[in-house]
Amino acid sequence: MENQGASAVITHHILDNKIYEYERWLEEIMPLTRHAKGFIDLQIVRPIPQLTFVYTVIIRFDTVDHLKMWLESTQRKRWIEKVEPLFRRHDHYQIRSGLDFLFEAPENSAKIPPRWKQYLITWSAIYPLSICIPMLLVPLLRALNFPFNHFSDALLISGTIVFLMVYVVMPKYTKLIRKWLNK
């Protein structure tokens, strides 16, 4: 697990009238997080205005130890204490190795599907995307007069596939096959 990197999926349930203050707090804590030892990247999934109030922050570090160091650091604890009055619920996070966060277990369950199932599901989702996305994206790029370049085409295609996997395909796909995945 140590060599695969680690992700923390943090959820913050924000009070309705405190979104602006929370956004300001995010702007202050993000640079601190980015400078933490072993930091790789960070993504924020914001709530839908007037509809939801949950922020999901996904932070990736190179090792589980570095991730735990940041999450349990005095500095982060002080920042969480500062923002706590804006929460409906307390700060909550789960630590996952590698890409385990794509295979969310049911609420309040620590069970993560076996690696062979993760492999099969990921492969079965990526395969059709790796065929369809180039077929759609490359003609679009040429129609927009982007010159042929194998590297920039591959960058855009892989970026699109990863985006779709993380934000569109895997959340729905894993819900669809949840029983088999957690069997």
Side-chain angles (χ1 to χ4, degrees), residues 4 14 17 33 42 71 73 76 80 82-83 87 89 92 99 110 130 160 170:
Q4 300 171 7
I14 309 302
N17 58 347
T33 306
L42 169 140
L71 291 173
S73 71
R76 182 179 182 277
I80 293 298
K82 181 179 177 181
V83 78
F87 294 166
R89 298 182 189 164
H92 174 75
L99 294 176
S130 67
T160 302
M170 291 309 279

Side-chain angles (χ1 to χ4, degrees), residues 26-131:
L26 275 176
E27 288 175 13
E28 294 174 15
I29 196 169
M30 284 191 307
L32 300 173
T33 306
R34 285 188 174 103
H35 288 96
K37 184 175 184 179
F39 173 82
I40 295 175
D41 76 355
L42 169 140
Q43 287 129 16
I44 300 169
V45 180
R46 288 177 165 78
I48 301 166
Q50 325 288 263
L51 189 62
T52 62
F53 51 83
V54 178
Y55 278 77
T56 302
V57 180
I58 302 167
I59 302 174
R60 290 186 33 224
F61 277 75
D62 61 350
T63 66
V64 172
D65 288 340
H66 288 152
L67 176 59
K68 284 182 180 177
M69 262 189 338
W70 168 247
L71 291 173
E72 297 167 4
S73 71
T74 311
Q75 185 179 32
R76 182 179 182 277
K77 285 178 183 174
R78 277 192 302 244
W79 280 92
I80 293 298
E81 286 172 12
K82 181 179 177 181
V83 78
E84 196 93 42
L86 310 180
F87 294 166
R88 289 176 189 262
R89 298 182 189 164
H90 294 292
D91 177 56
H92 174 75
Y93 62 84
Q94 294 178 321
I95 296 176
R96 306 280 175 91
S97 65
L99 294 176
D100 287 342
F101 69 92
L102 292 175
F103 299 91
E104 287 192 25
E107 195 70 23
N108 300 324
S109 171
K111 186 177 178 185
I112 295 172
R115 293 258 182 229
W116 68 270
K117 286 185 178 182
Q118 292 182 34
Y119 165 78
L120 288 176
I121 298 309
T122 304
W123 184 26
S124 69
I126 286 179
Y127 178 71
L129 289 174
S130 67
I131 292 172

